[in-house]
Amino acid sequence: KQEVTQIPAALSVPEGENLVLNCSFTDSAIYNLQWFRQDPGKGLTSLLLIQSSQREQTSGRLNASLDKSSGRSTLYIAASQPGDSATYLCAVKVGAQKLVFGQGTRLTINP
Amino acid sequence: SAVISQKPSRDICQRGTSLTIQCQVDSQVTMMFWYRQQPGQSLTLIATANQGSEATYESGFVIDKFPISRPNLTFSTLTVSNMSPEDSSIYLCSVIRGTDEQYFGPGTRLTVT
């Protein structure tokens, strides 16, 4: 059974810092990995999708990496801003189009 | 991307009643997914809905409790039946677009008293 773990559960940093969020999964047989952000009381916003054959994806200040063999992904956020405050969720796609989610990292950027 | 709307956005319901949640997508999709997010928890897949066939339910979820309709390629409903406080959650509709990227609706926040 695929399990996804995100560390840390919560993170608070001053504005402007670069930071890394971690995601690990137990079964390397994944189709892809997707990072989302969730604002309080809201749905999910897709940030980055990494296919199983890829090593990383970039979008603006965000960079996500994937090491399938070790079951790890990282989300790097450069020059953090207060608007980046949200919960960040990692999810891996397994058979039949099912996403398995981690518990999320609650990020707070302090002005 | 995909534009997904859900109705209602939130509701407070009494124990023993049922609520039907609607999901509308801006263009046709083959599969629609329903997820649940219990308080303080992450998301769990309830079922996958294909147009013209019965929904496929994940372990721990049954059709009698969560009946799903998929009348066309842009619309689906999820009913939460005979509700109990344990059903208090956010229910999210989801679709796949493009290169297998998954998109989510804004969610329906359900509170059962």
Side-chain angles (χ1 to χ4, degrees), chain A residues 7-29:
Chain A
I7 295 174
L11 181 64
S12 180
V13 301
E15 180 178 2
E17 282 203 1
N18 304 323
L19 58 100
V20 175
L21 307 181
N22 296 292
C23 171
S24 63
F25 46 95
T26 55
D27 188 343
S28 62

Side-chain angles (χ1 to χ4, degrees), chain A residues 95-98, chain B residues 30-35 45-51 53-58 68 70 76 94 102:
Chain A
Q97 303 286 5
K98 175 181 177 179
Chain B
T30 304
M31 288 186 286
M32 296 178 76
F33 306 87
W34 287 98
Y35 282 80
L45 179 64
I46 298 171
T48 303
N50 292 316
Q51 195 267 337
S53 63
E54 281 197 4
T56 303
Y57 289 83
E58 294 295 306
I68 289 172
R70 183 77 200 276
S76 178
S94 175
Q102 199 129 354

Side-chain angles (χ1 to χ4, degrees), chain A residues 31-32 34 49 51 93 97, chain B residues 96-102:
Chain A
Y31 290 91
N32 59 46
Q34 201 165 348
L49 169 70
Q51 301 292 352
K93 181 154 288 184
Q97 303 286 5
Chain B
I96 295 174
R97 280 280 169 79
T99 54
D100 215 22
E101 191 163 1
Q102 199 129 354

